[in-house]
Amino acid sequence: MDKIKRVQSAIARFSLAIAAAGLSTIAVSVFLSVLCRYVLKISAMWVEQYTRYMLIWVVFLAANVLIYKNTLMRVDFADKIWPKAFLRVREGLYTVLFVVILCTLTWQGWLQAQSYWGVPVTGLPVDKFWVYLSVPVGSFLMLVQYLLNLAALFCAQKSGGANE
């Protein structure tokens, strides 16, 4: 189980580092755009496209950390009145549903990204493939974190450890 947690932590740290670098480039590009517009009186038209697409990448890259830390938003105000057996079944169903959704999102996202190979982004010198690739990459990282959470849970149950 310790190896699983180390792998999860490494994935989370790596994706957060890439996301932080992306956010940094967004901040720098917006600052330079404002500087160019109001000081140099020229417009950097590519900044709007770049910031939009980079923000999508940042969100998809960082989303797996929420799954790793089990901090996804949930409605749990009534959990104290439900029996523990019901809560376990509900969590199991949620997990299966999320795994199915993430598998579908990864596969369909990949197909969508492939369909945009060779289609340029207006205002940027890249293909739309690289923009749409954020969906399968991000959903795959989320799927990996879910599966690793499940593996850690089964290892903890086999060894008699407490659930987290």
Side-chain angles (χ1 to χ4, degrees):
M1 185 164 100
D2 207 27
K3 289 181 182 180
I4 293 171
K5 290 296 180 187
R6 281 197 306 257
V7 168
Q8 283 185 294
S9 177
I11 292 170
R13 281 193 320 264
F14 177 74
S15 59
L16 278 180
I18 300 296
L23 276 177
S24 299
T25 64
I26 289 171
V28 168
S29 64
V30 169
F31 175 76
L32 290 176
S33 176
V34 170
L35 189 69
C36 286
R37 179 169 297 211
Y38 292 106
V39 174
L40 302 176
K41 306 292 186 207
I42 59 174
S43 177
M45 294 174 47
W46 57 271
V47 173
E48 180 189 351
Q49 296 287 342
Y50 176 77
T51 56
R52 178 183 305 142
Y53 295 140
M54 184 54 74
L55 192 57
I56 293 169
W57 264 102
V58 165
V59 168
F60 269 103
L61 283 173
N64 77 82
V65 179
L66 297 173
I67 294 168
Y68 163 60
K69 294 185 176 185
N70 199 21
T71 55
L72 280 175
M73 201 166 88
R74 59 179 67 222
V75 178
D76 58 1
F77 64 90
D79 281 0
K80 292 181 181 175
I81 64 172
W82 297 109
K84 292 202 183 286
F86 173 79
L87 294 176
R88 280 194 299 272
V89 169
R90 184 192 67 183
E91 287 301 316
L93 288 174
Y94 281 171
T95 302
V96 168
L97 183 63
F98 271 114
V99 166
V100 169
I101 288 170
L102 289 171
C103 284
T104 304
L105 190 59
T106 302
W107 176 248
Q108 291 299 315
W110 174 249
L111 294 177
Q112 185 74 25
Q114 281 183 320
S115 71
Y116 281 103
W117 185 262
V119 179
V121 173
T122 305
L124 290 175
V126 296
D127 289 345
K128 283 188 178 181
F129 168 80
W130 298 106
V131 174
Y132 282 89
L133 189 63
S134 63
V135 175
V137 169
S139 57
F140 179 74
L141 289 172
M142 288 185 271
L143 178 63
V144 167
Q145 290 288 17
Y146 252 119
L147 295 175
L148 289 172
N149 273 348
L150 285 174
L153 182 65
F154 286 128
C155 287
Q157 286 180 348
K158 274 190 174 182
S159 66
N163 284 348
E164 294 178 18

